[in-house]
Coordinates of all heavy atoms in Angstrom, one line a residue:
M7 N 0.8 -1.2 0.0 CA 0.0 0.0 0.0 C 0.9 1.2 0.0 O 1.9 1.3 0.7 CB -0.8 0.0 1.3 CG -1.7 1.2 1.5 SD -2.8 1.0 2.8 CE -1.9 0.2 4.0
G8 N 0.5 2.2 -0.8 CA 1.3 3.5 -0.7 C 2.2 3.7 -1.9 O 1.8 3.7 -3.0
C9 N 3.5 3.7 -1.6 CA 4.4 4.3 -2.6 C 5.0 3.4 -3.7 O 5.5 3.8 -4.6 CB 5.6 4.9 -1.8 SG 6.4 3.5 -1.0
G10 N 4.8 2.1 -3.5 CA 5.4 1.2 -4.4 C 6.8 0.9 -4.2 O 7.4 0.1 -5.0
E11 N 7.5 1.4 -3.3 CA 8.8 1.0 -2.9 C 8.8 -0.4 -2.4 O 7.8 -0.8 -1.8 CB 9.4 1.9 -1.7 CG 9.9 3.2 -2.1 CD 10.3 4.0 -0.9 OE1 11.2 3.6 -0.2 OE2 9.6 5.0 -0.6
T12 N 9.8 -1.1 -2.6 CA 9.8 -2.5 -2.1 C 10.6 -2.5 -0.8 O 11.7 -2.0 -0.7 CB 10.4 -3.5 -3.1 OG1 11.6 -3.0 -3.6 CG2 9.4 -3.7 -4.2
F13 N 10.0 -3.1 0.2 CA 10.7 -3.3 1.5 C 10.6 -4.8 1.8 O 9.7 -5.5 1.3 CB 9.9 -2.6 2.6 CG 10.2 -1.1 2.7 CD1 9.5 -0.2 1.9 CD2 11.2 -0.6 3.5 CE1 9.7 1.1 2.0 CE2 11.5 0.7 3.6 CZ 10.7 1.6 2.8
D14 N 11.5 -5.2 2.6 CA 11.5 -6.6 3.1 C 10.2 -6.7 3.9 O 9.9 -5.8 4.7 CB 12.7 -6.7 4.1 CG 13.0 -8.1 4.5 OD1 12.1 -9.0 4.2 OD2 14.0 -8.4 5.1
K15 N 9.5 -7.8 3.7 CA 8.2 -7.9 4.4 C 8.3 -7.8 5.9 O 7.4 -7.2 6.5 CB 7.5 -9.3 4.0 CG 6.0 -9.3 4.3 CD 5.4 -10.5 3.7 CE 3.9 -10.5 4.0 NZ 3.2 -11.7 3.5
K16 N 9.3 -8.3 6.4 CA 9.4 -8.2 7.9 C 9.7 -6.8 8.4 O 9.5 -6.5 9.6 CB 10.3 -9.2 8.5 CG 11.8 -9.2 8.1 CD 12.5 -10.3 8.8 CE 14.0 -10.3 8.5 NZ 14.2 -10.7 7.1
S17 N 10.1 -5.9 7.5 CA 10.3 -4.5 8.0 C 9.0 -3.7 7.8 O 8.9 -2.6 8.3 CB 11.5 -3.9 7.3 OG 11.1 -3.6 5.9
L18 N 8.0 -4.3 7.1 CA 6.8 -3.5 6.9 C 6.0 -3.6 8.2 O 6.1 -4.5 9.0 CB 6.0 -4.2 5.8 CG 6.5 -4.0 4.4 CD1 5.7 -4.9 3.4 CD2 6.6 -2.6 3.9
I19 N 5.1 -2.6 8.4 CA 4.3 -2.6 9.5 C 2.9 -3.1 9.2 O 2.3 -2.7 8.1 CB 4.2 -1.1 10.1 CG1 5.6 -0.7 10.6 CG2 3.1 -1.0 11.1 CD1 5.7 0.7 10.9
R20 N 2.4 -4.1 9.9 CA 1.1 -4.7 9.6 C 0.1 -3.9 10.5 O 0.2 -3.8 11.7 CB 1.1 -6.2 10.0 CG -0.1 -6.9 9.6 CD 0.0 -8.4 9.7 NE -1.2 -9.0 9.1 CZ -2.1 -9.7 9.8 NH1 -2.0 -9.7 11.2 NH2 -3.2 -10.2 9.3
I21 N -1.0 -3.5 9.7 CA -2.1 -2.9 10.4 C -3.2 -3.9 10.2 O -3.4 -4.5 9.2 CB -2.6 -1.6 9.6 CG1 -1.4 -0.7 9.3 CG2 -3.7 -0.9 10.4 CD1 -0.7 -0.1 10.5
V22 N -4.0 -4.1 11.3 CA -5.0 -5.1 11.2 C -6.4 -4.6 11.7 O -6.4 -3.6 12.5 CB -4.6 -6.4 12.0 CG1 -4.8 -6.1 13.5 CG2 -5.3 -7.6 11.6
R23 N -7.4 -5.1 11.0 CA -8.8 -4.8 11.5 C -9.2 -6.0 12.3 O -9.4 -7.1 11.6 CB -9.7 -4.5 10.4 CG -11.1 -4.1 10.8 CD -12.0 -3.8 9.7 NE -13.3 -3.4 10.1 CZ -14.4 -3.6 9.4 NH1 -14.4 -4.1 8.3 NH2 -15.6 -3.3 10.0
N24 N -9.3 -6.0 13.6 CA -9.5 -7.2 14.3 C -11.0 -7.6 14.3 O -11.8 -6.9 13.7 CB -8.9 -7.1 15.7 CG -9.7 -6.1 16.6 OD1 -10.8 -5.7 16.3 ND2 -9.1 -5.8 17.8
T25 N -11.2 -8.7 15.0 CA -12.6 -9.2 14.9 C -13.6 -8.3 15.6 O -14.8 -8.5 15.4 CB -12.6 -10.6 15.6 OG1 -11.9 -10.6 16.8 CG2 -12.0 -11.6 14.6
D26 N -13.1 -7.4 16.5 CA -14.0 -6.4 17.1 C -14.2 -5.1 16.2 O -14.9 -4.2 16.6 CB -13.5 -5.9 18.4 CG -13.5 -7.0 19.4 OD1 -14.4 -7.9 19.4 OD2 -12.6 -7.1 20.3
G27 N -13.6 -5.1 15.0 CA -13.7 -4.0 14.1 C -12.7 -2.9 14.4 O -12.8 -1.8 13.8
L28 N -11.8 -3.1 15.4 CA -10.8 -2.1 15.7 C -9.6 -2.2 14.8 O -9.2 -3.3 14.4 CB -10.3 -2.3 17.2 CG -11.3 -2.1 18.3 CD1 -10.7 -2.5 19.6 CD2 -11.7 -0.6 18.3
I29 N -9.1 -1.0 14.4 CA -8.0 -1.0 13.5 C -6.8 -0.5 14.3 O -6.8 0.5 14.9 CB -8.3 0.0 12.3 CG1 -9.5 -0.7 11.5 CG2 -7.1 0.2 11.4 CD1 -10.1 0.2 10.5
L30 N -5.8 -1.4 14.3 CA -4.6 -1.1 15.1 C -3.4 -1.7 14.5 O -3.4 -2.6 13.6 CB -4.8 -1.6 16.5 CG -5.1 -3.0 16.8 CD1 -4.8 -3.4 18.2 CD2 -6.6 -3.4 16.5
V31 N -2.2 -1.3 15.0 CA -0.9 -1.9 14.6 C -0.8 -3.3 15.2 O -1.0 -3.5 16.4 CB 0.2 -1.0 15.1 CG1 1.6 -1.6 14.7 CG2 0.1 0.4 14.4
D32 N -0.5 -4.2 14.3 CA -0.2 -5.6 14.8 C 1.3 -5.8 15.0 O 2.0 -6.1 14.1 CB -0.7 -6.5 13.7 CG -0.5 -8.0 14.1 OD1 -0.1 -8.3 15.2 OD2 -0.7 -8.8 13.2
E33 N 1.7 -5.5 16.3 CA 3.1 -5.6 16.6 C 3.7 -7.0 16.5 O 4.9 -7.1 16.2 CB 3.4 -5.0 17.9 CG 3.1 -3.5 18.0 CD 3.5 -2.8 19.3 OE1 4.6 -2.9 19.6 OE2 2.6 -2.3 19.9
T34 N 2.9 -8.0 16.7 CA 3.4 -9.3 16.7 C 3.3 -10.0 15.3 O 3.9 -11.0 15.1 CB 2.5 -10.2 17.7 OG1 1.2 -10.3 17.2 CG2 2.6 -9.7 19.1
G35 N 2.4 -9.4 14.5 CA 2.2 -10.0 13.1 C 1.3 -11.2 13.2 O 1.2 -12.0 12.2
R36 N 0.7 -11.5 14.3 CA -0.1 -12.7 14.4 C -1.5 -12.5 14.8 O -2.2 -13.4 15.2 CB 0.5 -13.6 15.5 CG 1.9 -14.1 15.2 CD 2.3 -15.2 16.1 NE 3.7 -15.5 16.0 CZ 4.6 -15.0 16.9 NH1 4.2 -14.3 18.0 NH2 5.9 -15.3 16.8
M37 N -2.0 -11.2 14.7 CA -3.4 -11.0 15.1 C -4.3 -11.5 14.0 O -4.0 -11.4 12.8 CB -3.6 -9.5 15.3 CG -2.9 -9.0 16.6 SD -3.0 -7.3 16.9 CE -4.8 -7.1 17.1
N38 N -5.5 -11.9 14.4 CA -6.5 -12.3 13.5 C -7.2 -11.1 12.9 O -7.3 -10.1 13.6 CB -7.6 -13.2 14.2 CG -7.0 -14.6 14.5 OD1 -6.3 -15.2 13.8 ND2 -7.3 -15.0 15.7
G39 N -7.6 -11.3 11.7 CA -8.4 -10.2 11.1 C -7.8 -9.8 9.7 O -6.8 -10.4 9.3
R40 N -8.4 -8.9 9.1 CA -7.9 -8.4 7.8 C -6.7 -7.5 8.0 O -6.7 -6.6 8.8 CB -9.1 -7.6 7.1 CG -8.9 -7.3 5.7 CD -10.0 -6.4 5.2 NE -9.8 -6.1 3.8 CZ -10.1 -6.9 2.8 NH1 -10.8 -8.0 3.0 NH2 -9.8 -6.6 1.6
G41 N -5.7 -7.8 7.2 CA -4.4 -7.0 7.4 C -4.0 -6.2 6.2 O -4.4 -6.5 5.1
A42 N -3.3 -5.2 6.5 CA -2.7 -4.4 5.4 C -1.2 -4.0 5.8 O -1.0 -3.8 7.0 CB -3.5 -3.1 5.1
Y43 N -0.3 -4.0 4.8 CA 1.0 -3.7 5.2 C 1.4 -2.3 4.7 O 0.9 -1.8 3.7 CB 2.0 -4.7 4.5 CG 1.9 -6.0 5.1 CD1 1.0 -7.0 4.6 CD2 2.7 -6.4 6.2 CE1 0.9 -8.2 5.2 CE2 2.6 -7.6 6.8 CZ 1.7 -8.6 6.3 OH 1.7 -9.8 6.8
I44 N 2.2 -1.6 5.5 CA 2.6 -0.2 5.1 C 4.1 -0.1 5.4 O 4.6 -0.7 6.3 CB 1.7 0.8 5.9 CG1 1.9 2.2 5.3 CG2 1.9 0.7 7.4 CD1 0.8 3.1 5.7
C45 N 4.7 0.7 4.6 CA 6.2 1.0 4.8 C 6.4 1.6 6.2 O 5.6 2.5 6.6 CB 6.8 1.9 3.8 SG 6.3 1.7 2.2
P46 N 7.5 1.4 6.7 CA 7.9 2.1 8.0 C 8.4 3.5 7.7 O 9.5 3.8 8.1 CB 9.0 1.2 8.6 CG 9.6 0.5 7.4 CD 8.5 0.4 6.3
S47 N 7.6 4.3 7.1 CA 8.0 5.6 6.7 C 6.9 6.6 6.9 O 5.7 6.4 6.5 CB 8.4 5.6 5.2 OG 8.1 6.8 4.6
A48 N 7.1 7.6 7.7 CA 6.1 8.6 8.0 C 5.5 9.3 6.7 O 4.4 9.5 6.6 CB 6.6 9.7 9.0
E49 N 6.4 9.4 5.8 CA 6.1 10.0 4.5 C 5.0 9.2 3.7 O 4.0 9.6 3.2 CB 7.3 10.2 3.6 CG 7.2 11.3 2.6 CD 8.5 11.4 1.8 OE1 9.6 11.3 2.4 OE2 8.4 11.4 0.5
C50 N 5.3 7.9 3.7 CA 4.4 7.0 3.0 C 3.1 6.9 3.7 O 2.1 6.7 3.1 CB 5.1 5.6 2.9 SG 6.4 5.5 1.7
L51 N 3.2 6.9 5.0 CA 2.0 6.8 5.8 C 1.1 8.0 5.5 O -0.1 7.9 5.2 CB 2.3 6.8 7.3 CG 1.1 6.7 8.2 CD1 0.5 5.3 8.2 CD2 1.5 7.1 9.6
D52 N 1.7 9.2 5.4 CA 0.9 10.4 5.1 C 0.2 10.2 3.7 O -0.9 10.6 3.5 CB 1.8 11.6 5.0 CG 2.1 12.2 6.4 OD1 1.4 11.7 7.4 OD2 2.9 13.1 6.5
K53 N 1.0 9.7 2.7 CA 0.4 9.5 1.4 C -0.7 8.5 1.5 O -1.8 8.7 0.8 CB 1.5 9.0 0.4 CG 2.4 10.0 0.0 CD 3.3 9.5 -1.1 CE 4.7 10.2 -1.2 NZ 5.7 9.4 -1.8
A54 N -0.5 7.4 2.2 CA -1.6 6.4 2.3 C -2.8 7.0 2.9 O -3.9 6.7 2.5 CB -1.1 5.2 3.1
F55 N -2.7 7.8 3.9 CA -3.8 8.5 4.6 C -4.5 9.4 3.6 O -5.8 9.3 3.4 CB -3.4 9.3 5.7 CG -3.0 8.5 7.0 CD1 -3.1 7.2 7.0 CD2 -2.6 9.2 8.1 CE1 -2.8 6.4 8.1 CE2 -2.3 8.5 9.3 CZ -2.4 7.1 9.3
K56 N -3.8 10.2 2.9 CA -4.4 11.1 1.9 C -5.1 10.4 0.8 O -6.1 10.9 0.3 CB -3.3 12.1 1.4 CG -3.0 13.2 2.4 CD -1.9 14.1 2.0 CE -1.4 15.0 3.1 NZ 0.0 15.2 3.1
K57 N -4.6 9.3 0.4 CA -5.2 8.6 -0.7 C -6.3 7.6 -0.2 O -6.8 6.8 -0.9 CB -4.2 7.8 -1.5 CG -3.3 8.7 -2.3 CD -2.5 7.9 -3.4 CE -1.1 7.8 -3.1 NZ -0.4 6.8 -3.9
H58 N -6.5 7.6 1.1 CA -7.5 6.8 1.8 C -7.1 5.3 1.5 O -8.0 4.5 1.4 CB -8.9 7.1 1.3 CG -9.3 8.5 1.6 ND1 -9.6 8.9 2.9 CD2 -9.3 9.6 0.8 CE1 -9.8 10.2 2.9 NE2 -9.7 10.7 1.7
G59 N -5.9 5.0 1.4 CA -5.4 3.6 1.2 C -5.9 2.7 2.3 O -6.3 1.5 2.0
L60 N -5.9 3.2 3.5 CA -6.4 2.3 4.6 C -7.9 2.1 4.6 O -8.3 1.0 4.8 CB -6.0 2.9 6.0 CG -4.5 2.8 6.4 CD1 -4.3 3.6 7.7 CD2 -4.0 1.4 6.6
D61 N -8.6 3.1 4.2 CA -10.0 3.0 4.1 C -10.4 1.9 3.1 O -11.3 1.1 3.2 CB -10.7 4.3 3.7 CG -10.6 5.4 4.7 OD1 -10.1 5.1 5.8 OD2 -11.1 6.5 4.5
R62 N -9.6 2.0 2.0 CA -9.8 1.0 0.9 C -9.4 -0.4 1.3 O -10.1 -1.4 1.1 CB -9.1 1.4 -0.4 CG -9.8 2.5 -1.2 CD -9.4 2.4 -2.6 NE -8.0 2.5 -2.8 CZ -7.3 3.7 -3.0 NH1 -8.0 4.8 -3.1 NH2 -6.0 3.7 -3.1
A63 N -8.3 -0.5 2.0 CA -7.8 -1.8 2.4 C -8.8 -2.5 3.3 O -9.0 -3.7 3.3 CB -6.4 -1.7 3.0
F64 N -9.4 -1.7 4.2 CA -10.3 -2.3 5.2 C -11.8 -2.1 4.8 O -12.6 -2.6 5.6 CB -10.0 -1.7 6.6 CG -8.6 -2.0 7.1 CD1 -7.7 -1.0 7.3 CD2 -8.3 -3.3 7.3 CE1 -6.4 -1.4 7.7 CE2 -7.0 -3.7 7.8 CZ -6.1 -2.7 8.0
K65 N -12.0 -1.5 3.7 CA -13.4 -1.3 3.2 C -14.3 -0.7 4.3 O -15.4 -1.1 4.6 CB -14.0 -2.6 2.8 CG -13.3 -3.3 1.7 CD -14.1 -4.5 1.1 CE -13.3 -5.4 0.2 NZ -12.4 -4.8 -0.8
T66 N -13.7 0.3 5.0 CA -14.4 1.1 6.0 C -13.7 2.4 6.2 O -12.6 2.6 5.7 CB -14.4 0.3 7.3 OG1 -15.3 1.0 8.2 CG2 -13.1 0.1 7.9
T67 N -14.4 3.3 6.8 CA -13.7 4.6 7.1 C -12.9 4.4 8.4 O -13.5 4.0 9.5 CB -14.7 5.7 7.3 OG1 -15.4 5.8 6.1 CG2 -14.0 7.0 7.6
V68 N -11.6 4.5 8.3 CA -10.8 4.3 9.5 C -10.9 5.5 10.4 O -10.8 6.7 10.0 CB -9.3 4.1 9.1 CG1 -8.4 4.0 10.3 CG2 -9.2 2.9 8.1
P69 N -11.3 5.3 11.7 CA -11.5 6.4 12.6 C -10.2 7.2 12.8 O -9.1 6.7 12.8 CB -11.9 5.8 13.9 CG -12.1 4.4 13.6 CD -11.5 4.0 12.4
K70 N -10.4 8.5 13.0 CA -9.2 9.4 13.1 C -8.3 9.0 14.3 O -7.1 9.1 14.2 CB -9.8 10.8 13.4 CG -8.8 11.9 13.2 CD -9.5 13.3 13.0 CE -8.5 14.4 12.8 NZ -7.9 14.9 14.1
E71 N -8.9 8.5 15.4 CA -8.1 8.1 16.5 C -7.2 6.9 16.1 O -6.0 6.8 16.6 CB -8.9 7.7 17.7 CG -10.0 8.7 18.2 CD -11.2 8.6 17.3 OE1 -12.0 7.6 17.5 OE2 -11.5 9.5 16.5
A72 N -7.7 6.0 15.3 CA -6.9 4.9 14.9 C -5.8 5.4 14.0 O -4.6 4.9 14.1 CB -7.8 3.9 14.1
L73 N -6.1 6.3 13.1 CA -5.0 6.8 12.2 C -3.9 7.5 13.0 O -2.8 7.3 12.8 CB -5.6 7.9 11.2 CG -6.6 7.4 10.2 CD1 -7.1 8.5 9.3 CD2 -5.9 6.3 9.3
E74 N -4.4 8.2 14.1 CA -3.4 8.9 14.9 C -2.5 7.9 15.7 O -1.3 8.1 15.8 CB -4.1 9.9 15.9 CG -4.4 11.2 15.2 CD -5.4 12.0 16.0 OE1 -5.8 11.7 17.1 OE2 -5.9 13.1 15.4
S75 N -3.1 6.9 16.2 CA -2.2 6.0 16.9 C -1.3 5.2 16.0 O -0.2 4.9 16.3 CB -3.0 5.1 17.8 OG -3.8 4.2 17.1
I76 N -1.8 4.9 14.8 CA -0.9 4.2 13.8 C 0.2 5.2 13.4 O 1.4 4.8 13.3 CB -1.7 3.8 12.5 CG1 -2.7 2.7 12.9 CG2 -0.8 3.3 11.4 CD1 -3.8 2.5 11.9
S77 N -0.1 6.4 13.2 CA 0.8 7.4 12.8 C 1.9 7.6 13.9 O 3.1 7.6 13.6 CB 0.1 8.7 12.6 OG 1.0 9.8 12.5
E78 N 1.5 7.6 15.1 CA 2.5 7.7 16.2 C 3.4 6.5 16.3 O 4.6 6.6 16.5 CB 1.8 7.8 17.6 CG 1.7 9.3 18.0 CD 0.8 9.4 19.2 OE1 1.0 8.6 20.2 OE2 -0.1 10.3 19.2
Y79 N 2.8 5.3 16.1 CA 3.6 4.1 16.1 C 4.7 4.1 15.0 O 5.8 3.8 15.2 CB 2.7 2.9 15.9 CG 3.5 1.6 15.9 CD1 3.7 0.9 17.1 CD2 3.9 1.0 14.8 CE1 4.4 -0.3 17.1 CE2 4.7 -0.1 14.8 CZ 4.9 -0.8 15.9 OH 5.6 -1.9 15.9
I80 N 4.2 4.5 13.8 CA 5.2 4.5 12.7 C 6.2 5.6 12.9 O 7.4 5.3 12.5 CB 4.4 4.7 11.3 CG1 3.6 3.4 11.1 CG2 5.3 5.1 10.2 CD1 2.8 3.4 9.8
K81 N 5.9 6.7 13.4 CA 6.9 7.8 13.6 C 8.0 7.3 14.6 O 9.2 7.5 14.5 CB 6.3 9.1 14.1 CG 5.8 9.9 12.9 CD 4.9 11.0 13.3 CE 4.3 11.6 12.0 NZ 3.0 12.3 12.3
E82 N 7.6 6.5 15.6 CA 8.5 5.9 16.5 C 9.4 4.9 15.9 O 10.5 4.6 16.3 CB 7.8 5.3 17.7 CG 7.4 6.3 18.8 CD 6.5 5.6 19.8 OE1 6.6 4.4 20.0 OE2 5.6 6.3 20.3
H83 N 8.8 4.2 14.9 CA 9.6 3.0 14.3 C 10.1 3.3 12.9 O 10.6 2.4 12.3 CB 8.7 1.8 14.3 CG 8.3 1.3 15.7 ND1 7.4 1.9 16.4 CD2 8.9 0.3 16.4 CE1 7.3 1.2 17.6 NE2 8.2 0.3 17.6
A84 N 9.9 4.5 12.4 CA 10.3 4.9 11.0 C 11.8 4.7 10.9 O 12.6 5.0 11.8 CB 9.8 6.3 10.7
T85 N 12.2 4.3 9.7 CA 13.6 4.1 9.4 C 14.1 5.4 8.8 O 13.4 6.1 8.1 CB 13.8 2.9 8.4 OG1 12.9 3.0 7.4 CG2 13.6 1.6 9.2
Ligands
ZN120 ZN1 6.4 3.5 1.0

């Protein structure tokens, strides 16, 4: 999702929509639910947000609070 750069899959950040419908960062990579991968880059995340990539990936409107917590996580882990 996002820029089309290629990253090693294990360096990508997995976002998951869990069975309760919550959208969050899957830090373990093992959560159940629909997943989407995003680059560990704040810039790519911004692009994905603006293009509504997450909304499309999860077929729902991602709540602002979820976007903010994902954004914070990625900023902490960005390369
Ligand atoms: Zn990217």
Side-chain angles (χ1 to χ4, degrees):
M7 175 170 42
C9 63
E11 278 175 67
T12 50
F13 281 88
D14 192 350
K15 197 170 178 183
K16 59 181 182 291
S17 74
L18 293 172
I19 292 167
R20 186 168 187 253
I21 312 293
V22 79
R23 183 179 180 207
N24 74 10
T25 47
D26 295 324
L28 292 173
I29 293 167
L30 60 159
V31 175
D32 177 10
E33 293 187 58
T34 63
R36 292 196 197 99
M37 286 174 68
N38 289 320
R40 189 183 179 86
Y43 290 90
I44 191 161
C45 316
S47 148
E49 203 182 315
C50 287
L51 181 74
D52 279 351
K53 283 187 206 157
F55 282 1
K56 283 178 190 143
K57 290 196 248 166
H58 301 284
L60 287 173
D61 293 357
R62 281 206 303 268
F64 294 115
K65 301 190 194 314
T66 186
T67 301
V68 178
K70 196 159 179 283
E71 308 82 71
L73 292 179
E74 279 165 6
S75 66
I76 295 164
S77 171
E78 263 171 47
Y79 180 89
I80 289 180
K81 278 169 190 155
E82 279 169 30
H83 294 79
T85 47

